[in-house]
Amino acid sequence: MKLVRFGPKGREKPGMLDAAGVVRDLSGVVDDIAGETLTPAGLAALRALDPAALPAAPAGERLGPCVGRVGKFVCVGLNYADHAAETGAEPPAEPVLFMKATSAISGPCDDVVRPRGSTKLDWEIELGVVIGKEARHVSEEEARGHIAGYCVVNDISERAFQLESTGQWTKGKSCDTFGPIGPHLATAEEIPDPLALSMRLSVNGRTCQNGSTRTMIFGPYSLVSYISRFMSLQPGDVISTGTPPGVGLGRNPPTFLKPGDVMELEIEGLGVQRQRVVDYDG
């Protein structure tokens, strides 16, 4: 099952994709793709529906973030062995965690805004894990049952904010529009092996990241278990699981985004994102 949210920013409606890829309106069934809708019972109720019996959304509607009312946006750093190597870092012995502000969340094809003072804007394609069942101190074996599904995340980063002067990872990751998620949430049964997914990101048509979730150091089940030791995870929380090599910071010389650049991202089975970079005009 593939779930979406569609419509104007801040007024998105819940939907699902039918077998032909047409968006079907779920607003007569649930209020959002969030919270209780993402629990095992909520998803089971949606699976019982006949998509053909639901109204089709208007053609060409904007797709919003595929999950609404996200409570926590937890990110994992240096979680691909080949990405750690390109940055010159030792692979971590335990997951490196940081938080991304939920106000950074945007739609999969919304513009990415380069904030005031930005000089080193960077891209990161990542597998997103969406929680569907509350998790506290769960084992790795139990963790699978706490995942509602998966989506594409672009963990946009401002490296100067993140790493220089009084740099902090959260500060460099949390500007508005720095968290595109979607286009759809693929429920867990759609992705039987989350560690066997190809990943690709291009900038202006040139491939920059071409990797696989196979090179993750800590897989999704391990991460859910680990994170649940330090904070409870609630339905609708999003975990962004790290990026493969090919980020701008790791290139020689380093290469960063500028207004007018266009990023395209795709993870196998999870759809395509496309964002244009624009300057902040406020």
Side-chain angles (χ1 to χ4, degrees):
M1 186 166 57
K2 296 180 175 68
L3 302 175
V4 299
R5 299 170 71 248
F6 65 93
K9 293 179 183 180
R11 301 199 304 276
E12 292 91 350
K13 295 180 179 181
M16 68 166 54
L17 299 182
D18 66 17
V22 174
V23 176
R24 298 288 178 164
D25 189 344
L26 284 170
S27 58
V29 182
V30 295
D31 69 338
D32 204 352
I33 306 300
E36 288 299 313
T37 301
L38 295 167
T39 65
L43 294 178
L46 294 185
R47 289 190 191 97
L49 299 173
D50 176 8
L54 299 169
E61 279 273 43
R62 165 188 174 269
L63 290 180
C66 60
V67 182
R69 303 198 302 267
V70 175
K72 291 189 286 297
F73 199 168
V74 186
C75 299
V76 184
L78 300 174
N79 192 34
Y80 282 68
D82 38 7
H83 173 56
E86 79 170 342
T87 66
E90 288 291 325
E94 294 187 25
V96 175
L97 304 182
F98 62 95
M99 305 297 285
K100 197 175 183 87
T102 57
S103 53
I105 292 172
S106 59
C109 295
D110 293 343
D111 290 344
V112 167
V113 178
R114 187 173 72 164
R116 286 181 180 173
S118 171
T119 58
K120 296 180 179 179
L121 190 66
D122 206 348
W123 57 83
E124 292 191 13
I125 185 171
E126 306 204 359
L127 175 67
V129 174
V130 179
I131 298 299
K133 180 181 176 182
E134 185 177 65
R136 287 189 178 93
H137 296 281
V138 300
S139 69
E140 190 168 338
E141 293 71 27
E142 295 168 327
R144 184 171 188 163
H146 292 261
I147 295 173
Y150 302 91
C151 63
V152 182
V153 176
N154 192 355
D155 177 21
I156 301 292
S157 308
E158 212 305 324
R159 301 301 190 186
F161 296 176
Q162 177 189 357
L163 300 171
E164 299 175 9
S165 185
T166 57
Q168 300 166 13
W169 281 31
T170 296
K171 185 171 72 177
K173 302 278 191 170
S174 292
C175 298
D176 291 353
T177 76
F178 274 24
I181 62 173
H184 62 256
L185 169 66
T187 51
E189 76 279 359
E190 297 266 340
I191 308 294
D193 186 358
L195 288 177
L197 305 176
S198 61
M199 313 169 73
R200 180 181 176 275
L201 180 146
S202 67
V203 178
N204 301 329
R206 182 185 66 184
T207 298
C208 296
Q209 293 186 272
N210 189 9
S212 169
T213 56
R214 288 186 179 90
T215 64
M216 272 192 192
I217 299 169
F218 307 101
Y221 309 147
S222 174
L223 290 172
V224 170
S225 173
Y226 181 82
I227 294 167
S228 78
R229 292 166 49 190
F230 305 103
M231 64 192 83
S232 63
L233 294 169
Q234 312 296 330
D237 286 349
V238 176
I239 301 171
S240 197
T241 57
T243 197
V247 300
L249 181 68
R251 302 181 76 83
N252 187 17
T255 303
F256 300 109
L257 295 163
K258 60 186 184 302
D261 286 346
V262 174
M263 292 171 283
E264 293 190 358
L265 302 76
E266 182 174 11
I267 297 179
E268 183 180 353
L270 298 177
V272 177
Q273 294 187 357
R274 185 179 189 274
Q275 298 113 23
R276 180 172 61 102
V277 179
V278 300
D279 252 335
Y280 178 78
D281 62 0

